[in-house]
Amino acid sequence: AGIGSNVISSRAFTSTLRGQGLVPKADTTMTVIMVDTTNALAVLGAQVDDMLQKNSTHVAFCLASPSNRRATARGGYDSKTFDTMVRGPSYAPLLGKGGGSYQVLSSSQTGSNFEASVKIVQADGSSKNFDFGMSLQQASVVDENASLEPYQLRPG
C-alpha cells in the first residue's frame, strides 16, 4: 500500500518465452520505440512516460493485465472507460500537465511478481507517490484483441 493505496496492475509479456523479446511502442508521432515487455521496469517506464509526456492512457491500457482490464474497462476492451478511470481524482496525478518526470523510489521482484513505488513529479513541481504491481503473464495467456495493438499476447 502506498499513498492513497493507488495500485495499477500491469502486465509484462512472456515475450522471451515466445521468442518475441521486444515489442514496438507506438506514439502519436508514429515513431516506433521498442519496449522489452519481459522487463518490468521497461514496461513501467513505457506506461508512465506515455501518461506524463503525452497525457495518454493508451500504453497503460494496452499493458494492463487481462484481469485488471476486466475490472476497469467493462470486460477488458473498453479503453474509454479505462481512460475515464485514470483521469479520475485517484489516478489523474499520473497524467502530464505539460510534461513531468518520475523516480522509482523502490522496486522488488519475487518470481513473476514485481512491485515498485514511484514518485510522479509534475512540471509545476507538485508530486505524488504511487505503488505499481505487475506480473509476468504465463505463456498460455493469449489476448489478441485489436484494441491492444501493438501489445497483444500472441500464442506460441
Side-chain angles (χ1 to χ4, degrees), residues 44-65:
L44 176 64
Q47 292 176 313
V48 174
D49 283 342
D50 189 55
M51 289 185 283
L52 274 176
Q53 303 307 318
K54 297 178 187 163
N55 194 30
S56 167
T57 63
H58 179 72
V59 174
F61 169 77
C62 291
L63 292 176
S65 68

Side-chain angles (χ1 to χ4, degrees), residues 86-105:
V86 175
R87 292 182 189 283
S90 294
Y91 299 111
L94 288 165
L95 297 165
K97 301 171 189 154
S101 63
Y102 70 96
Q103 176 185 5
V104 177
L105 302 173

Side-chain angles (χ1 to χ4, degrees), residues 36-127:
D36 179 354
T37 56
T38 63
N39 178 320
L41 282 173
V43 170
L44 176 64
Q47 292 176 313
V48 174
D49 283 342
D50 189 55
M51 289 185 283
L52 274 176
Q53 303 307 318
K54 297 178 187 163
N55 194 30
S56 167
T57 63
H58 179 72
V59 174
F61 169 77
C62 291
L63 292 176
S65 68
S67 63
N68 176 287
R69 281 186 291 96
R70 276 191 298 277
T72 60
R74 291 190 181 190
Y77 304 110
D78 186 343
S79 62
K80 287 184 86 172
T81 298
F82 184 89
D83 183 79
T84 299
M85 178 206 58
V86 175
R87 292 182 189 283
S90 294
Y91 299 111
L94 288 165
L95 297 165
K97 301 171 189 154
S101 63
Y102 70 96
Q103 176 185 5
V104 177
L105 302 173
S106 65
S107 66
S108 66
Q109 184 161 350
T110 304
S112 63
N113 296 311
F114 173 83
E115 295 178 345
S117 292
V118 178
K119 181 178 184 178
I120 303 294
V121 181
Q122 293 294 338
D124 66 5
S126 63
S127 66

